[in-house]
Amino acid sequence: MKSRYLFVTAGLLMLALVVSPGLAGEKFFTEGPVISVSVSGSNQFSPDEDAQLPLLIENRGGLIDMKLVQLGYLTPDYLPNTARSVKVSLLPGNAPPVTVKSDTQVLGILPSGIVEKATFDIHVPADAASATYTLTARVEYEYMQSYDQSGQDAITYHFKTVTEEIPVTVVVTPPSVILAITDVQSSDLNAGGEGYVTMSVKNTGSDDAAHFALYIEPGGKGPLTPPVEGNIYIGNFAAGETITPPRVKVSVSKDADETQHYPLTVFGLYKDYEGQDAMTSPVLIGVDFLGKITFAAVSEPAVATVGKENLIHVTYRNTGAATAYQAQAELVSLTLFPAVIPTSISVI
């Protein structure tokens, strides 16, 4: 009788091991994802500006409202509040002046409580009016809406595809001073030498500039080099006004190619309408110049008498592309010819 009782007890233990815990699973009850979009950092931009607009995409999907653990349940592979295959696009919305230059950004999986960043390149044109504009962030994703369990070993998932359009606000600040450079002229400028550059500068913005100073600097690694005194103080520079600053001396490297136009960078520093220090957007201008100045001796070979002092006449021709000013000539012996060459320099 005792041995039969032990046998029944052992059988019950084996049945318990078969049923539990292998078939105990979890079933979740919650809402789907809740997506929000916000601007990371400042949302203020100026006319004539290329900028990046970083957006924060957050899944604020609710917490798990209820979780049942029960024999016979299979735990699903997906949570219903997780957004999957997330893609974000930035559309113009009601902001035609603002151009979006970036394509759709792919974020992938966005669980509840997680924030991801998507950055878009935008352009604000120079003539954009001061206003608040609304772009549209289009967020596309899918999530597990429900599932069906078949028996003890199979789950069929039902995903729902969602497209949300969320407004994104940007502010275009009052236009500042905008430079338009015209009538760029160079004079007495040639490769290997110095000359002058003149230009006309117009304030095409809507802001009057106080204590305006014009700066002229090399454009990249070009052969043009303006001196330090290329900074010109103008004073008051009203919106719509055109000025002709004093000419600026520029030097050109001797190996510069006169068939090319090389850049100079022009910008201004000033006090804006609030009395704050401000700087204009830089403007590139192209400058042309002439080739190197070269000379050739075109006179007949000189005849010298041995033992006597001889006067040698040399005729030079300017074979370069520019006028040479204050030119000087000097004779130098380039051979072992036993002649004494005076060191005096003749002015041509």
Side-chain angles (χ1 to χ4, degrees):
M1 188 67 179
K2 183 178 180 180
S3 61
R4 183 178 301 176
Y5 174 78
L6 291 175
F7 174 78
V8 172
T9 302
L12 291 175
L13 288 174
M14 292 179 63
L15 180 61
L17 290 174
V18 172
V19 175
S20 177
L23 294 181
E26 300 173 338
K27 190 170 185 178
F28 302 98
F29 297 89
T30 184
E31 296 180 354
V34 178
I35 303 298
S36 67
V37 177
S38 59
V39 177
S40 175
S42 175
N43 68 338
Q44 295 188 2
F45 304 95
S46 300
D48 193 26
E49 180 179 0
D50 288 299
Q52 290 188 327
L53 181 63
L55 300 181
L56 298 179
I57 293 83
E58 180 180 2
N59 182 0
R60 297 179 178 177
L63 299 175
I64 302 298
D65 297 326
M66 183 183 300
K67 181 175 72 171
L68 297 179
V69 180
Q70 184 174 320
L71 295 178
Y73 283 169
L74 291 177
T75 302
D77 296 321
Y78 311 101
L79 290 177
N81 58 359
T82 295
R84 304 177 58 82
S85 303
V86 180
K87 297 186 296 183
V88 183
S89 305
L90 188 61
L91 307 177
N94 73 339
V98 181
T99 303
V100 180
K101 302 193 295 184
S102 297
D103 295 329
T104 300
Q105 309 289 308
V106 178
L107 302 184
I109 298 176
L110 191 62
S112 175
I114 299 301
V115 180
E116 294 286 353
K117 179 184 288 188
T119 301
F120 294 88
D121 295 324
I122 64 172
H123 173 71
V124 182
D127 58 353
S130 300
T132 299
Y133 297 98
T134 302
L135 302 169
T136 299
R138 175 179 290 169
V139 184
E140 303 172 75
Y141 63 93
E142 65 178 21
Y143 72 98
M144 185 195 70
Q145 186 179 34
S146 62
Y147 67 92
D148 299 322
Q149 180 173 330
S150 302
Q152 302 296 325
D153 57 0
I155 294 180
T156 300
Y157 297 102
H158 303 283
F159 290 92
K160 182 178 181 180
T161 300
V162 179
T163 298
E164 297 186 33
E165 293 190 346
I166 302 172
V168 176
T169 300
V170 296
V171 179
V172 176
T173 57
S176 53
V177 175
I178 302 172
L179 301 184
I181 312 296
T182 59
D183 196 25
V184 178
Q185 303 286 339
S186 60
S187 61
D188 300 328
L189 187 60
N190 56 276
E194 293 182 342
Y196 295 92
V197 174
T198 59
M199 67 192 73
S200 294
V201 183
K202 183 176 182 179
N203 179 3
T204 60
S206 62
D207 188 14
D208 296 336
H211 302 288
F212 183 84
L214 192 70
Y215 285 74
I216 302 174
E217 297 182 350
K221 298 181 179 180
L224 303 179
T225 306
V228 175
E229 57 269 23
N231 307 334
I232 304 169
Y233 181 77
I234 303 298
N236 293 328
F237 190 17
E241 181 182 0
T242 299
I243 59 174
T244 303
R247 62 182 187 174
V248 177
K249 180 180 285 187
V250 174
S251 62
V252 185
S253 61
K254 63 182 180 180
D255 57 348
D257 183 0
E258 70 273 13
T259 65
Q260 304 293 322
H261 282 68
Y262 290 98
L264 289 176
T265 300
V266 182
F267 63 95
L269 299 181
Y270 64 98
K271 297 285 187 180
D272 64 12
Y273 66 100
E274 293 181 334
Q276 301 296 316
D277 292 333
M279 185 180 82
T280 69
S281 298
V283 179
L284 283 178
I285 61 173
V287 176
D288 58 0
F289 53 88
L290 301 175
K292 292 186 291 185
I293 295 177
T294 57
F295 295 93
V298 296
S299 55
E300 296 293 330
V303 178
T305 302
V306 177
K308 293 185 178 182
E309 185 175 303
N310 297 269
L311 182 62
I312 298 176
H313 295 275
V314 181
T315 301
Y316 294 94
R317 175 179 294 162
N318 180 354
T319 58
T323 301
Y325 297 93
Q326 300 178 348
Q328 297 178 337
E330 180 180 4
L331 293 179
V332 179
S333 176
L334 299 179
T335 67
L336 297 180
F337 181 72
V340 179
I341 305 296
T343 57
S344 60
I345 297 175
S346 299
V347 177
I348 297 177

